[in-house]
Amino acid sequence: MAQPKGTVVLAYSGGLDTSCILVWLKEEGYTVIAYLANIGQKEDFEAARKKALALGAKKVYIEDISREFVEEFIWPAVQANALYEDRYLLGTALARPCIARRLVQIAQQERAQYVAHGATGKGNDQVRFELTCYALCPNIKVVAPWRLPKFYQRFPGRRELMDYAKKHGISVPVTPQTPWSMDENLMHISYEAGILENPKNQAPPGLYTKTRDPATSPDTPDVLEIEFERGVPVKVTNARDGASRCEALELFVYLNEIAGKHGVGRIDIVENRFVGMKSRGFWHSPEGEFLRQCIRRSQEGVTGTVRLSVFKGQVYILGRESPRSLYNEELVSMNVQGDYEPADATGFININSLRLKEYHRLQSKVTLKQDE
């Protein structure tokens, strides 16, 4: 056993990586405190607690932070209409700063010098975790095993990690037949690694646990009315049975249930990474705070109701209304002139065509010179 190195708070999931990392950290001389955040994943949390303690954790924190995840992270993303690659709703990206914020708080509470995570050295999560930690506690030290040569040279692949788990009696849900990595929370479930690393491979049907296959989804749509205040959903009502939800977490979970029943939300993308290209991790940063303030200000007038149909993997907008809408039916109508003079458009068009005419004049001059 190595010399004692102090206390580390590990972001623990109970899966293959963090279970092995917990044991490895103890081998390295750390006293390990495990932190498992409940953000809506299907998990036997009591079993996870017992497992962490059996693997040698000194203490285990398991906390339900689902409500703050929705209210403080998901809703701001809804206000911003935040989409990655025009499709992905940033389920993992939003969860990480939420988890890491509490990770740091526990480290401070326990007077731990270190925090640790199981993110790989190639992906985005390492950036999200660590930038949050350093932003909130600049003196914290981060242990990232997947970036330490002594760790990744010992475990070059998941096969070696599973062998280590078997040797140390660590039960894990991952098998050589299904060697993919999974991340689940209230907002989504995502998979990567293993056979999924080859873009030509189709995802096995069994992966989809939150959404039904649209081909076998109900033949009758659910029609919902969602009321918004300042860009945030505050009430949903189902026209079919009158069911309604108002509290943020309950509302969000209910919408997930309806969407999942109809097969809404399945996507397959090739990720761009911050270590290489895109996907930012600066939630807890000056520019992040500034941007969210701007978004909140922009959403102050976004109040009203949207009526939509959820059916066969799609969401169809049926109608919308708002007491603060800038839309003026009389002004835009093809049937009513309203407070608008069509003749005014002549001057508008003339002004906008001026640069086009000048560009044409210049091009004609250049062509004449070339022909001389």
Side-chain angles (χ1 to χ4, degrees):
M1 183 69 72
Q3 291 295 317
K5 292 179 179 169
T7 300
V8 59
V9 182
L10 170 66
Y12 178 74
S13 71
L16 174 64
D17 290 41
T18 56
S19 293
C20 291
I21 285 172
L22 194 161
V23 175
W24 183 83
L25 287 169
K26 282 189 60 64
E27 285 183 351
E28 291 296 303
Y30 293 98
T31 298
V32 182
I33 294 173
Y35 170 58
L36 175 54
N38 176 358
I39 48 175
Q41 70 271 38
K42 291 180 175 64
E43 180 84 52
D44 186 337
F45 292 101
E46 191 52 41
R49 181 191 303 277
K50 292 178 180 177
K51 179 179 179 180
L53 291 171
L55 295 178
K58 176 187 177 183
K59 188 183 293 187
V60 179
Y61 283 83
I62 298 179
E63 299 176 338
D64 188 339
I65 57 173
S66 299
R67 192 176 310 280
E68 61 194 80
F69 180 40
V70 172
E71 295 178 346
E72 299 178 38
F73 294 85
I74 294 177
W75 279 171
V78 170
Q79 287 180 310
N81 195 28
L83 288 174
Y84 172 74
E85 300 287 359
D86 296 322
R87 288 179 292 161
Y88 175 50
L89 294 171
L90 299 166
T92 298
L94 294 171
R96 295 307 184 241
C98 181
I99 295 169
R101 180 175 69 179
R102 187 63 187 127
L103 186 73
V104 168
Q105 291 170 349
I106 291 172
Q108 292 172 322
Q109 179 181 323
E110 292 287 342
R111 299 185 183 279
Q113 291 178 280
Y114 305 91
V115 293
H117 61 76
T120 72
K122 293 183 178 180
N124 297 321
D125 276 347
Q126 58 179 339
V127 182
R128 295 166 181 147
F129 270 120
E130 295 181 36
L131 290 184
T132 295
C133 292
Y134 292 133
L136 301 180
C137 184
N139 296 325
I140 200 74
K141 296 177 182 177
V142 177
V143 181
W146 282 115
R147 294 207 307 272
L148 299 175
K150 67 186 303 185
F151 186 88
Y152 64 71
Q153 289 172 4
R154 183 177 178 183
F155 306 109
R158 300 184 77 77
R159 170 82 56 181
E160 290 78 9
L161 212 57
M162 286 186 276
D163 290 342
Y164 180 81
K166 184 177 180 180
K167 177 182 176 182
H168 289 84
I170 303 170
S171 60
V172 291
V174 178
T175 66
Q177 289 73 38
T178 57
W180 44 65
S181 176
M182 178 184 76
D183 177 61
E184 181 184 11
N185 59 48
L186 275 173
M187 199 169 190
H188 83 164
I189 186 167
S190 64
Y191 299 87
E192 62 180 357
I195 64 168
L196 304 176
E197 289 184 348
N198 188 333
K200 79 174 183 180
N201 289 333
Q202 180 180 355
L207 262 64
Y208 296 102
T209 59
K210 287 184 177 287
T211 58
R212 287 179 62 172
D213 186 338
T216 63
S217 64
D219 293 325
T220 304
D222 274 273
V223 175
L224 306 175
E225 281 195 352
I226 305 177
E227 297 178 26
F228 286 79
E229 289 182 7
R230 298 184 176 184
V232 170
V234 294
K235 183 179 181 181
V236 59
T237 304
N238 194 320
R240 180 202 296 271
D241 57 11
S244 66
R245 303 288 189 277
C246 296
E247 190 276 323
L249 180 57
E250 291 180 0
L251 185 155
F252 189 81
V253 169
Y254 180 72
L255 288 176
N256 269 353
E257 291 172 358
I258 298 298
K261 180 176 73 172
H262 290 280
V264 172
R266 294 187 175 194
I267 64 169
D268 185 353
I269 66 171
V270 177
E271 176 187 43
N272 283 316
R273 291 173 173 167
F274 188 32
V275 182
M277 294 177 73
K278 301 183 207 170
S279 189
R280 302 298 177 250
F282 292 97
W283 185 276
H284 297 288
S285 65
E287 61 268 36
E289 292 174 6
F290 173 75
L291 185 60
R292 285 192 295 278
Q293 286 182 19
C294 292
I295 291 168
R296 280 194 294 269
R297 177 68 179 84
S298 76
Q299 297 297 294
E300 287 183 1
V302 184
T303 296
T305 302
V306 177
R307 187 175 177 85
L308 51 87
S309 172
V310 187
F311 186 57
K312 296 293 184 183
Q314 298 294 323
V315 176
Y316 303 94
I317 303 298
L318 303 180
R320 76 286 287 164
E321 61 178 346
S322 170
R324 302 188 63 177
S325 175
L326 292 173
Y327 180 77
N328 183 335
E329 185 174 354
E330 185 179 89
L331 182 61
V332 302
S333 174
M334 297 293 185
N335 301 315
V336 182
Q337 182 169 321
D339 188 19
Y340 174 74
E341 284 293 336
D344 291 342
T346 301
F348 174 80
I349 293 169
N350 286 338
I351 289 172
N352 277 279
S353 70
L354 184 60
R355 69 181 182 87
L356 302 178
K357 293 176 180 177
E358 285 300 295
Y359 178 72
H360 178 75
R361 182 184 63 80
L362 176 61
Q363 291 298 101
S364 300
K365 186 186 296 185
V366 170
T367 301
L368 285 172
K369 283 189 175 182
Q370 290 176 340
D371 291 341
E372 288 177 356

